[in-house]
Amino acid sequence: MYDLRSLRDLLPAIRDQLGSRGADVAWEEVEKLLQDRRDRTAQVEALRHQLKKGSDEVARLKRAKQPAEETVVAMRALRDNIAIQEEHLRAIEGELEEHALRIPNLPHDTVPQGTDASQNVEIRRWGEPPSFGFPPKPHWEIGESLGILDFKRAGKIAGTRFSMTLGAGAQLERALTSLMLDMHLHKHGYTEVLPPYLVNREAMIGTGQLPKFEHDLFHLRDDEYLLIPTAEVPVTNMYRDEILPDTALPIRHVASTPCFRREAGSYGQDTRGLIRLHQFHKVELVAFTTPEESYSELERLTNAAEAILQTLELPYRVVSLCRGDLGFATAKTYDLEVWIPSQQAYREISSCSNFETFQARRANIRFRPQGGKPAYLHTLNGSGVAVGRTTVAILENCQQDDGSVIIPTALRRYMNGVERIASNPAP
């Protein structure tokens, strides 16, 4: 979110820095509105100055016991005109704010140049992709043959892009959630939050989903509520319109929630399996910190998400998103991509981002430095990690030639000692 002063003073620089990321911003309209605001502001200020002089003249006339009625009438008309002009100014500023909400965040200087995902920069890899003595199966075939995934019945209940896990599959997702929460709570120092799954429009505006991504969200028909696309929304908005003491920072929260996404524009992509669904579960990490510490916090948060994949012994890589692939609200993002054998490719399982002051401005979240004035803090978040996609990675990387799946060692205590999911077809 940009304040109107920043837009007035820095519009050409902002437009240049955003490049193709700002392609759908109505720059010419913004420029016109900024000029209209300048002109209208100057007009209002001139009228106020005229009013002050007139008021002083009325006072002088009254002190001199001279007729002042004509000047008083003129000043009343002037006040009415000022009120009209101020109303016009507020309307212009309202339009400008609507446009400002649609302008993406500026990329950090360390973000790689590039126009799309093919130009993202690999930072590191962990683990070796497994070798199989047989053609690896996709996770949906594995899950259906084991009787732990049922897409047909989920479709009957809800429609396409929904799934249903059964038996050991449901237990696996619950175990993954427990392991992730325990690690983030006890090893990484996050505080757990169980937030609402329905939020108001102000919350979605605060984190950047609205107004730009209206069509990606699920709305309630009769109420002004929306289903959360990620726990980032309610957890970040916990501190909306608050000023936090600097001694409270950093604040680190973790939340496990269902996520709901319309996946508008994704038709034809990942139509089978668990990769791209309308409903899925995710463990989310959210942090609030000072501007000076936010990039070290980004590394810490990313390492916390990586630790989950390392504990599960899942091969992955970390990539830094280039400027053309950055999300709308982020200043810098690392994607964690886990190896998917059936696709012979790494696929995203977590995005870890620093938003700098972008969300804090929209949600009005500030901190007070000792002895200083309130300032906007920096917000960060990342998946720690997506539960469904972790299930995909386990089913595919740990599959055996007899169709069974080995449970990662660290996960077994969360599954009552189960070491392997063997074939048990559902009826």
Side-chain angles (χ1 to χ4, degrees), residues 32-50:
K32 177 183 178 299
L33 286 167
L34 284 170
Q35 186 59 52
D36 289 347
R37 180 175 182 265
R38 286 191 200 99
D39 296 343
R40 189 75 64 170
T41 300
Q43 185 178 359
V44 168
E45 288 175 352
L47 291 171
R48 286 173 179 163
H49 179 68
Q50 188 178 340

Side-chain angles (χ1 to χ4, degrees), residues 190 250-253 285-289 297 301 378-381:
Y190 286 78
I251 296 173
R252 302 181 180 111
H253 287 312
L285 306 173
V286 179
F288 306 81
T289 189
E297 188 69 24
L301 186 150
H378 282 196
T379 63
L380 305 93
N381 70 54

Side-chain angles (χ1 to χ4, degrees), residues 294-363:
S294 69
Y295 278 93
S296 61
E297 188 69 24
L298 176 61
E299 300 299 325
R300 186 184 190 278
L301 186 150
T302 304
N303 291 337
E306 288 183 75
I308 300 296
L309 301 179
Q310 292 175 12
T311 297
L312 295 170
E313 301 178 84
L314 295 171
Y316 69 91
R317 68 174 185 170
V318 180
V319 298
S320 180
L321 299 194
C322 72
R323 295 178 181 229
D325 199 33
L326 277 182
F328 171 78
T330 180
K332 183 171 184 175
T333 295
Y334 293 124
D335 268 9
L336 276 57
E337 298 179 345
V338 71
W339 179 253
I340 304 298
S342 68
Q343 299 181 16
Q344 290 293 290
Y346 288 96
R347 296 297 304 271
E348 178 201 336
I349 195 169
S350 171
S351 284
C352 301
S353 300
N354 187 351
F355 303 92
E356 297 188 356
T357 62
F358 189 81
Q359 292 180 331
R361 287 180 181 277
R362 296 168 76 104

Side-chain angles (χ1 to χ4, degrees), residues 183-202:
M183 285 189 64
H184 294 314
L185 290 170
H186 305 305
K187 182 177 180 180
H188 303 137
Y190 286 78
T191 299
E192 187 173 2
V193 178
L194 186 59
Y197 303 157
L198 293 170
V199 296
N200 54 36
R201 293 185 67 85
E202 288 77 9

Side-chain angles (χ1 to χ4, degrees), residues 65-331:
K65 298 183 179 180
Q66 296 179 3
E69 186 59 30
E70 186 176 335
T71 306
V72 169
V73 170
M75 290 306 99
R76 287 196 192 111
L78 187 56
R79 284 193 187 91
D80 291 342
N81 190 17
I82 290 173
I84 292 169
Q85 299 309 319
E86 287 176 336
E87 184 64 30
H88 288 318
L89 180 59
R90 283 192 291 272
I92 291 169
E93 290 178 340
E95 285 188 64
L96 269 172
E97 287 169 359
E98 278 294 311
H99 284 288
L101 288 171
R102 295 176 181 274
I103 300 176
N105 200 359
L106 293 174
H108 189 260
D109 291 343
T110 59
V111 173
Q113 297 290 339
T115 57
D116 56 41
S118 67
Q119 294 174 294
N120 292 340
V121 176
E122 184 174 310
I123 304 298
R124 56 184 172 271
R125 292 190 182 196
W126 188 93
E128 290 294 328
S131 297
F132 298 99
F134 56 92
K137 295 179 180 179
H139 66 277
W140 59 83
E141 287 187 16
I142 299 168
E144 288 175 332
S145 67
L146 292 174
I148 62 174
L149 289 177
D150 194 329
F151 296 99
K152 184 177 180 181
R153 289 189 172 108
K156 179 173 61 176
I157 296 167
T160 58
R161 294 194 186 274
F162 286 92
S163 70
M164 181 181 294
T165 54
L166 307 167
Q171 188 180 5
L172 175 62
E173 288 214 2
R174 178 161 49 86
L176 283 168
T177 301
S178 295
L179 178 142
M180 293 174 192
L181 287 174
D182 281 353
M183 285 189 64
H184 294 314
L185 290 170
H186 305 305
K187 182 177 180 180
H188 303 137
Y190 286 78
T191 299
E192 187 173 2
V193 178
L194 186 59
Y197 303 157
L198 293 170
V199 296
N200 54 36
R201 293 185 67 85
E202 288 77 9
M204 292 288 192
I205 290 171
T207 44
Q209 279 74 23
L210 288 179
K212 184 175 176 62
F213 303 107
E214 183 97 34
H215 296 299
D216 292 331
L217 303 171
F218 283 109
H219 301 245
L220 268 65
R221 186 183 64 184
D222 297 325
D223 297 284
E224 279 295 308
Y225 290 116
L226 302 99
L227 288 165
I228 61 169
T230 165
E232 164 199 348
V233 178
V235 177
T236 301
N237 278 276
M238 285 172 59
Y239 302 107
R240 191 173 78 224
D241 295 325
E242 293 189 27
I243 300 174
L244 305 170
D246 64 350
T247 53
L249 303 178
I251 296 173
R252 302 181 180 111
H253 287 312
V254 59
S256 170
T257 68
C259 305
F260 306 91
R261 300 183 184 179
R262 292 186 62 230
E263 292 293 349
S266 68
Y267 298 102
Q269 302 178 46
D270 299 308
T271 54
R272 299 193 67 181
L274 299 173
I275 295 290
R276 199 180 298 273
L277 298 173
H278 290 312
Q279 174 188 313
F280 58 94
H281 284 79
K282 184 156 63 80
V283 172
E284 188 78 1
L285 306 173
V286 179
F288 306 81
T289 189
T290 62
E292 294 77 15
E293 298 296 325
S294 69
Y295 278 93
S296 61
E297 188 69 24
L298 176 61
E299 300 299 325
R300 186 184 190 278
L301 186 150
T302 304
N303 291 337
E306 288 183 75
I308 300 296
L309 301 179
Q310 292 175 12
T311 297
L312 295 170
E313 301 178 84
L314 295 171
Y316 69 91
R317 68 174 185 170
V318 180
V319 298
S320 180
L321 299 194
C322 72
R323 295 178 181 229
D325 199 33
L326 277 182
F328 171 78
T330 180

